[in-house]
Amino acid sequence: MAGLVPILLALLLAPLLLGVINRTKAFFAGRQGAPVWQPYHDLRRLLGKGAVYSRTTTWVFVAGPVVGLASVLAALSLLPLGGQPAFLSFTGDLVLMVCLLGLMRFVTVLAALDTGSSFEGMGASREVTFSALAEPPLFLALAILARKTGSLSLTGILGAIDHGLWLQAGPMLLLVATALFVIFLAENARIPVDDPNTHLELTMIHEVMVLDHSGPDFAMILYGAALKLWLLGALVVGILVPAGSPWYVGWPAAVGGLVLVAVLTGVVESTIARLRMHKVPQLLVGSLILALLAMVLGAR
Amino acid sequence: MTAASLILATVALPLLGGILGRLLGFHSWLARWTAGLAGAAGGLAGLALAGELLWQGGRAAFEWPWFDTGYTLALAVDPLSAFFLLPISLLSAVTAVYGASYLGASHGGGHSPAAGSPHGADPVNPANVGLFAGFLQAGMALVLLAQDGLGFLVAWEVMSLAAFFIIALDDAQAENRAAAWIYLVASHIGAAFLLFFFLYLGMRAGDFSFEALAGLALSDRARRALTLAAVIGFGAKAGFVPLHVWLPDAHPAAPSHISALMSGAMTKTGIYGLLRALTLVGLPGRPAAAALIGLGLVSGILGIVMANAQRDLKRLLAYSTVENLGIVALGLGVGLWGAATGQTVVAVLGLAGALVHVLNHALAKGLLFLAAGVLVQATGTRQLDRLGGLLKRMPGVAGSALTGAVAIAGLPPLNGFLGEFLIFLAAFTGLVSRHGESTVPLTLAIMGLALIGGLAAACFARVFGIAFLGEPRTAEAAEAAPPEAPMALAMALLAVGCVVALLGVAWSLPVLGRVVTTVLRLNPLEIELELLKAGVLLRAVIAGGGLLVVLAGFLAVVRHQLLAGREVGETPTWDCGYAAPTPRMSYTGSSFAQPLNDLFGAVRGGGEERPRLAGLFPATARFASRPGDACVERFYEPVFRRVETFFQSWRWVQSGRVQAYVLYIALTLLFLLGWNLW
């Protein structure tokens, strides 16, 4: 049942990452900022509320958050942590994981279109555009890792990235991790792709898609987003923190790594301006090129 | 029933039903249901035949000495044709039932070109559609059953021409005539290559039967030329870019159930033909396999990019067919690459992925075209931007369409994901084996498939979201009526088919072993072993999907419990405080697709008409954009314009004077006389 630990850690600690990011941003802005536990309070408050639905919406709008959260939870069951195996692991599970995230996006987009609002349509349109472009670098990065480690499951891949591999192919791993970090920022609607704090609907991507959700539905969306942040962050951390240590080192190291990734995200958000919408594809192609460079380095 | 009588029923029932239906043309209901039920019965016979052959193995044959000509009509089913018979029969049966109802309600099929324009002045007789649908169905079955080159070519023509006549039936509209014409030309350019393919082989073998053709020893050059001819000839039917141009014109022109049949089933005969051709001339080497991967990538990416740009629902679905056949070609390419480099696993997985995708695409695309037919009938338009809010008007249709959309976007937990998963797995496996030369083609395959997947999800989120969700954008959409029971039933059947295919593929993947063995000619046990292993992985995928479904159910219950007894309010959608929003202001499909269209503007064709604004108070201006096809605009139009100019310069030959023609005859006779003497 050791496979359940990564899931439990994610379920318990994912909102913390959001808190850490916000705390880091507050530090850079010279504010005191909300406590790192604030996202938990938000979730608890939302879960305790009633809900308001638009008259335009149908069951698709209700199904969006439910299926979205279920997809990211199912994807989490495939995620190894700290070099320890995932709950479910089989050859090719990386394809299933990426496509489950795709399903999460698909239902979120449908729920957004169900409101009939132009704002939400706009956000949905941007989301599908940028995520379609993020898909090739993500798969390429995973393909490079699979080729280097000779394994086709996430558990096998991340379990094989140890000190030896770092000594042998350090630069390549660093490039892949960088490419994955860019995808992590884009997929989680962070600066420089999207600004989670923006207050103008016209400039939002992810936030504007969920404008009409409220109460428990919105809690599920927030929680799903936190879990997705954890999931993609764990991939980055899985490369950067070498595997091969026992569980009592591996898991704390991975959680520590994730907190550091959250801090790094906060630093990026505080120091970099958001890109103009039509520059975002260039960023994503940039991550593709990083991954291609890694492939060339790893081809030796 | 014996296999021979099943073969006979598969071919003869739709033909007889079509002809009888035409004879009963004086009574619409009788005509439609005679053709429809006979088509359904023929489809069921085909299903039984395919099922028996696939699961029991072996070969069923039916032979008939063709009167006293010395030619024996031989129809037989081997595992390869049985596999393709499965989706084609199923779709034929379902569309026949749908069509019987659809044609009755709409008084003709492919009308309603653009919103607002009146229906064709001279409605299409449903009995005629039934007649040609019968021929199309029988033609497709014959293509799969033919066991010799000549029979294959004749069957191919029956199928192609039947489709031509259906497209051309509603000839009151110029665009339908143009569509039929383009289809005929594209189809016969393809057929010319097939003629070369079979005649060359037949000449060398002295006999046209597939057995004799397969036994030929060919030089490498001949094999390369024949493979190229097969890829072009069959690729024109399958709709590989740049031979896809007939699809987006032909599908909107045909009645929707025939579009479903053409897109879901007829294009697959191209894939069948390609595989059959490979069994005759042998597997190609690395360059050809890499070229097929490239062809698949180009078809897949361009297909979905152009699909995303379309506003006409049926054109969009047609381009999506180009994309999906591209994925099939990609799978075949990866498989053949595996075979050429001696990597059995890659070969088996790639080929199996392509075959599974053939099946899944037939189900999902058939379903979506039938749904498009319902929308056309209910709202009188094919324009996506004039629909909206239809989920509330027709929940059943929306549920089926959503199933089709998720399946065709290749998302878990539905069947569309399985084929793509197998192709991904094949490419990843080849990459991990660290066979040096495989790196570039297989990496490209992985990246391309990833991009196609992302774009397909975007495209079908748009289709479903704009058509069925939100507010109705026109009065027609607001008052749309749900379809008749047989149509809804047909769609529900295909939606259930998607789920059955999901489980069926995962649990009976080794059945494909016989099909793969026909093409690859490797050790059947080894192939079966690989398929058994892949089947385990597919079941793991389904376990993941099952987990998803269970979790979603659990969360839905949790949400329900949380909200029980609390205040649940209703408001208008958040509109930033604007007081009087109208449905016309909601986001359109064109706006939704605009970022992707801009991004891929260079490769997708089409154009814009931008107003030039000047001064502080510019006058009323107009903006228009039109989706296009880069292949047509940059290749076919210039080429055919030149061809036309060339032939125009020879028009004086046809002077219209009798004397001139007498002179031509005399000159020809003189020439022939000289030829004979010399």
Side-chain angles (χ1 to χ4, degrees):
Chain A
M1 281 294 99
L4 281 176
V5 177
I7 302 180
L8 284 178
L9 283 175
L11 292 180
L12 290 177
L13 297 177
L16 181 68
L17 297 185
L18 292 176
V20 171
I21 293 176
N22 288 337
R23 196 60 193 234
T24 313
K25 286 166 78 173
F27 171 78
F28 271 83
R31 291 184 282 117
Q32 173 150 21
V36 289
W37 308 107
Q38 187 59 40
Y40 293 92
H41 294 298
D42 291 347
L43 284 174
R44 192 175 47 88
R45 210 185 56 225
L46 284 169
L47 283 174
K49 286 193 171 190
V52 179
Y53 294 101
S54 154
R55 273 184 278 275
T56 308
T57 58
T58 60
W59 58 266
V60 173
F61 182 78
V62 175
V66 169
V67 179
L69 182 56
S71 334
V72 72
L73 285 173
L76 264 181
S77 70
L78 303 168
L79 180 77
L81 196 71
Q84 305 299 314
F87 177 63
L88 268 180
S89 169
F90 56 91
T91 307
D93 57 2
L94 41 94
V95 179
L96 180 63
M97 195 186 83
V98 177
C99 290
L100 280 170
L101 293 183
L103 180 69
M104 180 191 188
R105 184 183 314 124
F106 189 81
V107 292
T108 312
V109 164
L110 285 189
L113 288 174
D114 199 18
T115 61
S117 154
S118 280
F119 294 131
E120 280 166 67
M122 206 179 290
S125 155
R126 291 167 183 166
E127 172 96 1
V128 294
T129 306
F130 297 149
S131 58
L133 294 179
E135 211 104 307
L138 181 52
F139 266 103
L140 182 60
L142 292 173
I144 295 166
L145 294 176
R147 185 165 188 273
K148 200 72 194 171
T149 58
S151 175
L152 280 181
S153 71
L154 285 165
T155 299
I157 290 172
L158 295 186
I161 300 179
D162 53 11
H163 294 97
L165 196 67
W166 263 98
L167 287 176
Q168 185 208 338
M172 187 205 88
L173 290 175
L174 206 59
L175 276 175
V176 175
T178 317
L180 276 177
F181 184 67
V182 173
I183 298 160
F184 162 86
L185 291 177
E187 284 279 317
N188 287 303
R190 314 303 307 191
I191 290 176
V193 173
D194 188 10
D195 184 356
N197 285 348
T198 179
H199 285 286
L200 185 61
E201 288 91 337
L202 286 174
T203 63
M204 298 176 182
I205 299 179
H206 179 76
E207 292 298 304
V208 75
M209 283 205 299
V210 297
L211 274 182
D212 270 84
H213 288 281
S214 55
D217 293 331
F218 191 57
M220 282 196 255
I221 285 176
L222 270 187
Y223 193 47
L227 289 174
K228 190 176 172 188
L229 189 83
W230 175 281
L231 186 102
L232 289 169
L235 287 183
V236 179
V237 171
I239 298 172
L240 291 179
V241 180
S245 9
W247 60 267
Y248 50 85
V249 181
W251 283 328
V255 174
L258 273 166
V259 172
L260 284 181
V261 164
V263 171
L264 183 63
T265 310
V267 173
V268 168
E269 296 221 315
S270 310
T271 53
I272 294 182
R274 187 178 165 186
L275 287 174
R276 290 161 72 193
M277 289 283 183
H278 69 270
K279 297 274 184 201
V280 171
Q282 295 175 13
L283 178 78
L284 294 170
V285 172
S287 77
L288 183 70
I289 289 171
L290 282 181
L292 279 174
L293 275 177
M295 179 126 227
V296 174
L297 274 181
R300 283 176 299 147
Chain B
M1 270 205 285
T2 62
S5 52
L6 275 179
I7 292 180
L8 196 62
T10 308
V11 177
L13 279 177
L15 267 184
L16 290 178
I19 294 170
L20 193 62
R22 183 65 201 88
L23 294 178
L24 296 170
F26 53 85
H27 189 292
S28 169
W29 189 89
L30 215 55
R32 284 183 282 118
W33 282 101
T34 307
L37 290 180
L44 289 180
L47 268 183
L49 185 64
E52 191 182 323
L53 258 285
L54 275 178
W55 268 269
Q56 310 289 334
R59 185 169 182 278
F62 169 83
E63 284 181 355
W64 184 19
W66 191 256
F67 303 104
D68 277 335
T69 53
Y71 175 78
T72 307
L73 179 71
L75 298 178
V77 197
D78 65 349
L80 181 61
S81 34
F83 177 78
F84 281 85
L85 199 56
L86 203 64
I88 288 178
S89 303
L90 179 68
L91 212 53
S92 301
V94 172
T95 55
V97 172
Y98 176 99
S101 173
Y102 177 75
L103 291 171
S106 70
H107 300 292
H111 57 60
S112 333
S117 79
H119 290 182
D122 157 35
V124 174
N125 185 347
N128 287 338
V129 180
L131 174 69
F132 292 119
F135 271 87
L136 178 60
Q137 186 180 343
M140 289 193 297
L142 280 171
V143 163
L144 300 180
L145 298 173
Q147 286 303 307
D148 63 309
L150 275 184
F152 185 91
L153 284 176
V154 171
W156 191 259
E157 278 305 301
V158 170
M159 171 181 83
S160 300
L161 288 180
F164 163 77
F165 282 118
I166 300 180
I167 300 167
L169 270 183
D170 194 9
D171 57 1
Q173 277 155 33
E175 61 173 37
N176 290 353
R177 293 196 298 270
W181 178 239
I182 290 174
Y183 167 72
L184 195 67
V185 171
S187 181
H188 281 91
I189 289 177
F193 282 91
L194 297 186
L195 209 59
F196 162 75
F197 178 86
F198 282 111
L199 287 186
Y200 180 86
L201 277 178
M203 219 170 63
R204 292 282 305 273
D207 182 11
F208 279 103
S209 77
F210 284 166
E211 275 166 34
L213 301 186
L216 269 180
L218 293 165
S219 71
D220 273 354
R221 233 175 72 191
R223 278 180 43 193
R224 249 175 277 148
L226 287 171
T227 310
L228 184 67
V231 169
I232 297 176
F234 291 117
K237 189 61 74 186
F240 294 159
V241 170
L243 302 164
H244 67 286
V245 284
W246 62 271
L247 278 135
D249 285 331
H251 286 47
S256 295
H257 67 291
I258 300 295
S259 314
L261 201 55
M262 288 203 298
S263 212
M266 193 176 78
T267 52
K268 304 303 185 305
T269 60
I271 302 296
Y272 164 78
L274 193 56
L275 288 175
R276 181 62 77 189
L278 292 182
T279 67
L280 299 181
V281 299
L283 296 181
R286 293 178 199 190
L292 200 56
I293 294 181
L295 192 64
L297 283 176
V298 170
S299 301
I301 295 173
L302 279 186
I304 193 66
V305 162
M306 292 194 279
N308 205 36
Q310 302 305 315
R311 292 170 212 151
D312 180 322
L313 190 51
K314 289 175 78 176
R315 280 184 83 88
L316 185 153
L317 292 176
Y319 275 114
S320 150
T321 298
V322 175
E323 170 236 344
N324 280 287
L325 271 290
I327 295 179
V328 173
L330 186 64
L332 287 183
V334 171
L336 293 177
W337 178 270
T341 53
Q343 306 179 74
T344 310
V345 199
V346 180
V348 173
L349 287 179
L351 209 58
L355 290 172
V356 168
H357 199 73
V358 161
L359 185 65
N360 291 334
H361 174 247
L363 290 167
K365 186 52 64 65
L367 173 54
L368 287 172
F369 262 116
L370 296 189
V374 170
L375 300 190
V376 169
Q377 201 172 69
T379 63
T381 178
R382 296 195 306 260
Q383 300 296 316
L384 199 54
D385 288 347
R386 302 183 67 86
L387 305 173
L390 289 168
L391 189 141
K392 288 181 178 164
R393 305 290 307 174
M394 37 180 98
V397 175
S400 300
L402 182 58
T403 312
V406 174
I408 206 141
L411 291 170
L414 277 177
N415 59 341
F417 178 63
L418 296 187
E420 293 186 25
F421 178 78
L422 285 175
I423 299 174
F424 265 126
L425 204 59
F428 269 106
T429 311
L431 205 59
V432 167
S433 74
R434 313 202 63 171
H435 174 273
E437 277 177 49
S438 299
T439 309
V440 174
L442 295 185
T443 308
L444 283 177
I446 290 173
M447 281 161 51
L449 204 51
L451 182 63
I452 293 170
L455 291 175
C459 181
F460 284 94
R462 166 174 173 248
V463 170
F464 186 80
I466 300 296
F468 286 99
L469 304 178
E471 292 285 346
R473 292 180 178 78
T474 54
E476 289 82 11
E479 286 154 19
E484 285 175 32
M487 293 164 73
L489 179 75
M491 278 180 286
L493 268 178
L494 285 179
V496 171
C498 283
V499 179
V500 172
L502 172 80
L503 304 174
V505 165
W507 264 269
S508 46
L509 196 67
V511 164
L512 283 185
R514 298 196 184 96
V515 188
V516 176
T517 313
T518 336
V519 182
L520 286 184
R521 293 170 196 250
L522 295 167
N523 180 3
L525 284 177
E526 208 177 336
I527 290 178
E528 188 137 348
L529 180 67
E530 292 306 336
L531 287 173
L532 276 171
K533 285 197 242 166
V536 174
L537 296 182
L538 290 188
R539 293 199 281 280
V541 166
I542 291 185
L547 183 66
L548 165 80
V549 174
V550 171
L551 283 170
F554 169 72
L555 289 173
V557 172
V558 168
R559 175 189 161 278
H560 188 258
Q561 292 297 325
L562 279 176
L563 284 178
R566 287 193 198 150
E567 193 187 348
V568 175
E570 273 202 344
T571 60
T573 296
W574 168 243
D575 46 18
C576 243
Y578 184 71
T582 74
R584 290 286 315 241
M585 289 160 67
S586 59
Y587 223 50
T588 60
S590 307
S591 325
F592 188 85
Q594 186 246 337
L596 278 173
N597 285 344
D598 283 357
L599 212 55
F600 291 99
V603 293
R604 97 192 139 80
E608 278 181 356
E609 201 183 299
R610 275 184 191 282
R612 203 183 310 159
L613 301 181
L616 288 177
F617 302 99
T620 316
R622 181 177 172 281
F623 171 85
S625 68
R626 136 190 93 72
D629 188 317
C631 296
V632 174
E633 288 167 13
R634 295 193 200 138
F635 178 67
Y636 289 109
E637 277 179 5
V639 167
F640 279 99
R641 211 173 297 132
R642 261 183 227 149
V643 170
E644 199 186 342
T645 323
F646 174 75
F647 283 113
Q648 286 285 355
S649 67
W650 284 85
R651 274 192 73 171
W652 55 266
V653 177
Q654 297 274 8
S655 60
R657 276 197 301 272
V658 180
Q659 294 91 325
Y661 291 99
V662 173
L663 180 65
Y664 295 158
I665 293 171
L667 284 177
T668 311
L669 285 176
L670 262 176
F671 172 74
L672 289 177
L673 186 68
W675 174 290
N676 228 8
L677 289 176
W678 180 66

